[in-house]
Amino acid sequence: MNGEKFYITTPIYYPSDKLHIGHSYCTVAADAMARYKRLRGYDVMFLTGTDEHGQKIERIATSQGVTPKQYVDKIVDGIKALWKDLDISYDKFIRTTDDYHVEAVKKIFKALYDKGDIYKSEYEGWYCTPCETFFTERQLVDGKCPDCGREVEKVKEESYFFRLSKYQDRLIEHIENNPGFISPQSRQTEMISNFLKPGLDDLCVSRTSFKWGIPVDFDPGHIVYVWVDALSNYITALGYGTEHDELYKKYWPADVHLVGKEIVRFHTIIWPAMLMALDLPLPKQVFGHGWLIIDGGKMSKSKGNVVDPKVLVDKYGLDSIRYFLLREVAFGQDGNFTNEALIQRINSDLANDLGNLVSRTVGMIEKYFGGTLPYEQDSTEFDTDLIKTSGETVKKFEGYMDKMLFSDALSELWALIRRTNKYIDETQPWVLCKDAEKTPLLAGALYNVAESIRIISIMLQPFMPNAPKAIWQQLNINDERLREWDSIRKWGLMAHDLTVKKGPALFPRIDMKKELEELETALKAAQAESIANKTAKEENGKEEFNEITIDDFAKIQLVTGEVIASEAVKGSKKLLKNTVKMGDETRTILSGIAKYYTPEEMAGKKVVVVANLAPRKMMGEVSHGMILCAEDADGNLSLVSNDKGFGGGFEVR
Ligand code: MSP
């Protein structure tokens, strides 16, 4: 045990009812690294969790008729269940709704304010709600979000700002003086030339137009910007900002923040600047991995190309999926996910190379020696090279793992697996067995193969939670010392008179054609089920949370209205400003319907208005009420009208 600490984090996930295989990629990688470090004797802290605040969550919850907390509570359980299915060995799971986190973030915000690094001003610019990101006019691409390509909203709010610009030079200096801080190198170049060199603007770090977030406790109404809230998790999870900060003292700074490439920017600019402002040490490394791509685009639920990790695991087994994710694509680069590639890897690397090696070895020991090798053994002329390859593989494997080059590490390991298979072909046990004088040679050869398998099984552990154990069972490796990491540096540790016992095939071969058809059906069924569940949940949710009494209904004052004028709201693509006559009263009511009705079409419309809604400010205009609309499955809006065309001011019941 070297006892040195190793702190690794994944991003904290937005609660989504269906995390896809792309999300699992990052967590599986972090898990492989955490397991590897534990095996190397490190004292590991592996953190993951959920990022639960923000306007996006608030809107979804509202649309489902539940509170944001009710919404996230249900989803977080599902996320934890998925990590269980994938055997993710995290040490801590943080939720940004956890009390200790909320309190610590308030303190962090206040500390930055007291220091003068946060100041109050007014924000006017663009906001992408799905990405929870602010953009300046020049950052937009064709008027849309440069990250996801979706519509952005103009926001104008009194806000707090973080003096990000102040840290620009220190950040550049830190990045340049610490090669490896941003990995891979290409991401460092991107951050410096695309973001840091052009100049940093101060960052808007509070919002006032919604409520679901951590309040700025010295200025009610302001909510801490969700990225400031989220990034802080890496230290609050360790107890930073509380009386119990022992874990913080022990594990911070993080050894590696593992993140997808699109959020490297937040982790290598905003987060280090926040830490600098707090006078805290910076993480040692931010590793930006690539995306798992399907059909040429990043996977996303909205694109309907979700690949359900649970379906894949149930069908092919956990080890195969974890292996595929980390073997197929060089970590850091984007890679395609296809079912063909997955089955191909299972058949060739797992069933053929690894599975066959184990089953033929155990099979031969049983066949030629009744399951137990004799003591008397001789070396063959091929031994030296096998033993040398094994030693070299260990070194290369460790070298790649230390750099998180998982695919390279696995490729080295498979070279040893293939070398071992080749050794069997070279020594030809099926020929040796025919000559009684050669029995010691035969026994020696099979011993070497078994020893090589033992060494391979130990290196497989970070990637595969199950196969190594199955191998140990078949080779009867019960002694802990034969399973320890350091035992792979020494050849010949297993007892020479080892006894084996054949078990089920580690990785059965798959009929590609049949499987592709079945898989397609299973994935479709899972998608259909998830949609059905969602609908059922929504319906149940409505019963559970939305049932109201007639007295509740009476609180809502619905009144007919007549739109007498309508105009677009400056700077907004969504909003129309309507002048609505309701009896004697005329009101200004804003509606997000500009995509569906022109101002000309609106004029003269007979509508239904929620009359006693609290006034709400949007884009500098105040709306006094809400015009009711229906929304169809494609998101088209239709005004709710009264079919006899009553004029304004009549009660709707
Ligand atoms: N909540 C933020 C992270 C805050 S960290 C302080 C977030 N959440 S996320 O749920 O959208 O994404 C979590 C991680 O999943 C990100 O690292 C993201 O890159 C990764 N992936 C999501 N889809 C992916 C693929 N298709 N392929 C690989 N990784 C992908 O961002």
Side-chain angles (χ1 to χ4, degrees):
M1 290 292 259
N2 75 22
E4 218 179 295
K5 69 95 187 168
F6 182 77
Y7 180 27
I8 182 166
T9 67
T10 70
I12 47 173
Y13 290 77
Y14 290 130
S16 149
D17 56 352
K18 207 86 205 159
L19 291 191
H20 52 65
I21 194 82
H23 293 114
S24 313
Y25 181 56
C26 190
T27 317
V28 166
D31 184 63
M33 197 60 189
R35 285 172 188 261
Y36 167 69
K37 288 286 180 178
R38 285 189 200 110
L39 287 164
R40 300 287 318 260
Y42 283 77
D43 173 352
V44 173
M45 167 58 73
F46 170 18
L47 174 73
T48 189
T50 40
D51 182 1
E52 304 181 14
H53 291 126
Q55 195 165 7
K56 189 164 59 176
I57 304 284
E58 189 180 84
R59 282 191 187 160
I60 302 174
T62 310
S63 75
Q64 297 192 3
V66 294
T67 66
K69 186 67 168 56
Q70 284 165 333
Y71 171 75
V72 293
D73 278 352
K74 282 193 178 170
I75 288 188
V76 169
D77 287 345
I79 293 180
K80 285 186 174 167
L82 176 62
W83 297 157
K84 197 156 181 258
D85 289 334
L86 291 172
D87 213 342
I88 303 299
S89 61
Y90 59 79
D91 297 294
K92 179 145 182 106
F93 190 103
I94 184 170
R95 299 183 55 178
T96 54
T97 47
D98 287 338
D99 290 347
Y100 66 88
H101 172 80
V102 170
E103 289 314 309
V105 168
K106 285 182 188 168
K107 282 191 196 156
I108 290 172
F109 200 91
K110 180 75 167 44
L112 295 174
Y113 179 74
D114 288 344
K115 196 180 165 194
D117 273 341
I118 281 183
Y119 61 92
K120 199 169 185 177
S121 181
E122 185 170 72
Y123 179 79
E124 186 169 4
W126 298 93
Y127 195 72
C128 174
T129 305
C131 295
E132 301 282 15
T133 309
F134 295 101
F135 294 104
T136 58
E137 184 84 40
R138 76 186 151 89
Q139 287 175 311
L140 302 182
V141 176
D142 297 333
K144 304 229 167 88
C145 171
D147 286 349
C148 71
R150 282 179 275 209
E151 295 285 338
V152 286
E153 292 173 53
K154 184 129 199 181
V155 285
K156 187 175 178 185
E157 294 176 10
E158 180 193 75
S159 296
Y160 284 94
F161 282 79
F162 172 56
R163 289 190 201 282
L164 190 58
S165 57
K166 174 176 156 188
Y167 293 95
Q168 173 173 328
D169 294 342
R170 265 180 76 186
L171 283 170
I172 296 179
E173 200 184 304
H174 182 84
I175 294 169
E176 286 179 345
N177 289 342
N178 292 279
F181 171 63
I182 306 181
S183 285
Q185 169 72 29
S186 56
R187 310 237 186 266
Q188 164 170 339
T189 318
E190 187 191 337
M191 289 305 122
I192 298 226
S193 48
N194 294 1
F195 296 103
L196 285 158
K197 288 272 156 78
L200 293 176
D201 294 325
D202 285 352
L203 178 73
C204 177
V205 288
S206 75
R207 305 286 313 269
T208 52
S209 54
F210 65 96
K211 295 208 156 38
W212 181 236
I214 300 180
V216 173
D217 55 2
F218 56 89
D219 195 347
H222 284 263
I223 295 292
V224 176
Y225 173 43
V226 70
W227 270 100
V228 169
D229 167 354
L231 288 162
S232 304
N233 95 87
Y234 299 128
I235 52 176
T236 63
L238 302 179
Y240 176 82
T242 70
E243 276 174 25
H244 300 287
D245 60 356
E246 299 80 16
L247 292 179
Y248 170 79
K249 286 188 182 128
K250 181 169 177 191
Y251 290 108
W252 189 257
D255 292 271
V256 54
H257 290 316
L258 207 56
V259 301
K261 62 178 184 179
E262 84 284 17
I263 56 172
V264 168
R265 184 157 55 98
F266 298 92
H267 285 80
T268 58
I269 297 176
I270 300 176
W271 179 226
M274 279 171 64
L275 290 165
M276 284 174 179
L278 292 165
D279 287 321
L280 298 179
L282 304 197
K284 292 186 195 152
Q285 185 180 56
V286 175
F287 193 105
H289 66 75
W291 284 342
L292 216 55
I293 313 262
I294 274 204
D295 299 335
K298 188 186 162 207
M299 275 176 214
S300 79
K301 221 159 59 109
S302 55
K303 284 187 189 152
N305 56 9
V306 185
V307 180
D308 187 335
K310 178 87 170 75
V311 172
L312 293 171
V313 166
D314 287 349
K315 213 160 169 36
Y316 302 111
L318 179 59
D319 286 4
S320 307
I321 301 301
R322 289 177 53 122
Y323 170 76
F324 177 77
L325 285 177
L326 297 179
R327 173 66 184 92
E328 185 68 5
V329 185
F331 203 58
Q333 288 162 24
D334 288 350
N336 250 322
F337 180 94
T338 68
N339 297 320
E340 286 92 328
L342 169 64
I343 297 172
Q344 185 72 35
R345 282 271 173 212
I346 294 178
N347 280 346
S348 72
D349 298 8
L350 301 182
N352 250 8
D353 296 340
L354 175 61
N356 249 351
L357 174 65
V358 175
S359 72
R360 73 203 278 223
T361 305
V362 173
M364 285 190 288
I365 297 176
E366 285 191 338
K367 184 168 167 201
Y368 304 136
F369 297 105
T372 303
L373 287 181
Y375 268 116
E376 202 190 331
Q377 294 179 4
D378 253 355
S379 3
T380 78
E381 58 185 296
F382 306 104
D383 297 2
T384 327
D385 190 61
L386 176 68
I387 297 168
K388 188 166 143 255
T389 309
S390 166
E392 285 168 0
T393 303
V394 170
K395 282 199 202 103
K396 287 190 206 154
F397 182 89
E398 289 181 343
Y400 285 130
M401 286 301 283
D402 289 336
K403 295 196 188 111
M404 288 199 289
L405 297 172
F406 303 114
S407 181
D408 294 305
L410 283 169
S411 163
E412 281 305 326
L413 185 55
W414 252 254
L416 176 60
I417 293 174
R418 291 192 185 110
R419 178 67 193 86
T420 313
N421 269 319
K422 189 170 156 220
Y423 173 89
I424 300 181
D425 298 339
E426 288 167 342
T427 52
Q428 298 187 315
W430 48 90
V431 175
L432 295 177
C433 75
K434 293 186 179 139
D435 184 348
E437 275 186 22
K438 296 204 168 132
T439 304
L441 273 180
L442 173 64
L446 291 176
Y447 173 84
N448 282 332
V449 179
E451 178 67 349
S452 186
I453 294 175
R454 179 187 71 85
I455 291 171
I456 290 162
S457 72
I458 292 171
M459 284 187 271
L460 277 175
Q461 290 177 93
F463 301 93
M464 300 187 181
N466 301 320
K469 289 181 199 138
I471 293 175
W472 297 339
Q473 228 169 8
Q474 297 200 36
L475 292 186
N476 205 8
I477 301 176
N478 299 315
D479 186 341
E480 275 302 321
R481 284 168 303 181
L482 298 177
R483 301 174 177 185
E484 276 170 9
W485 191 268
D486 281 337
S487 74
I488 61 180
R489 292 178 223 289
K490 283 208 188 98
W491 188 270
L493 286 187
M494 269 204 292
H496 280 256
D497 58 342
L498 64 100
T499 299
V500 299
K501 190 168 182 346
K502 208 165 167 69
L506 291 180
F507 299 98
R509 269 191 79 80
I510 293 166
D511 176 340
M512 172 84 93
K513 189 167 170 290
K514 193 167 146 257
E515 202 60 21
L516 286 179
E517 285 164 11
E518 277 178 28
L519 187 65
E520 195 78 349
T521 319
L523 288 173
K524 279 201 184 122
Q527 275 170 19
E529 194 190 331
S530 120
I531 293 166
N533 280 343
K534 213 172 143 209
T535 319
K537 248 193 253 161
E538 278 167 15
E539 279 166 7
N540 291 338
K542 279 191 184 125
E543 272 167 31
E544 196 178 329
F545 303 112
N546 272 0
E547 190 172 272
I548 57 169
T549 64
I550 190 77
D551 294 337
D552 294 328
F553 179 65
K555 288 183 195 151
I556 303 169
Q557 197 190 347
L558 297 172
V559 178
T560 59
E562 185 173 353
V563 181
I564 51 175
S566 179
E567 61 182 284
V569 172
K570 227 176 124 211
S572 169
K573 289 184 184 152
K574 285 190 180 162
L575 289 178
L576 290 185
K577 177 179 162 186
N578 307 293
T579 308
V580 184
K581 199 159 180 327
M582 292 151 60
D584 297 337
E585 194 190 352
T586 304
R587 293 190 186 190
T588 297
I589 302 182
L590 302 176
S591 298
I593 49 176
K595 269 202 331 223
Y596 310 97
Y597 292 92
T598 62
E600 293 73 33
E601 283 170 332
M602 282 303 287
K605 285 273 191 267
K606 304 282 180 13
V607 295
V608 176
V609 173
V610 183
N612 58 342
L613 201 64
R616 187 167 166 221
K617 197 170 173 191
M618 288 181 272
M619 307 287 298
E621 302 276 354
V622 181
S623 182
H624 298 271
M626 181 169 82
I627 298 179
L628 289 185
C629 285
E631 183 178 357
D632 74 5
D634 298 324
N636 296 312
L637 295 190
S638 165
L639 291 169
V640 173
S641 174
N642 63 81
D643 78 342
K644 292 203 172 148
F646 292 169
F650 300 105
E651 197 180 342
V652 178
R653 277 178 291 163

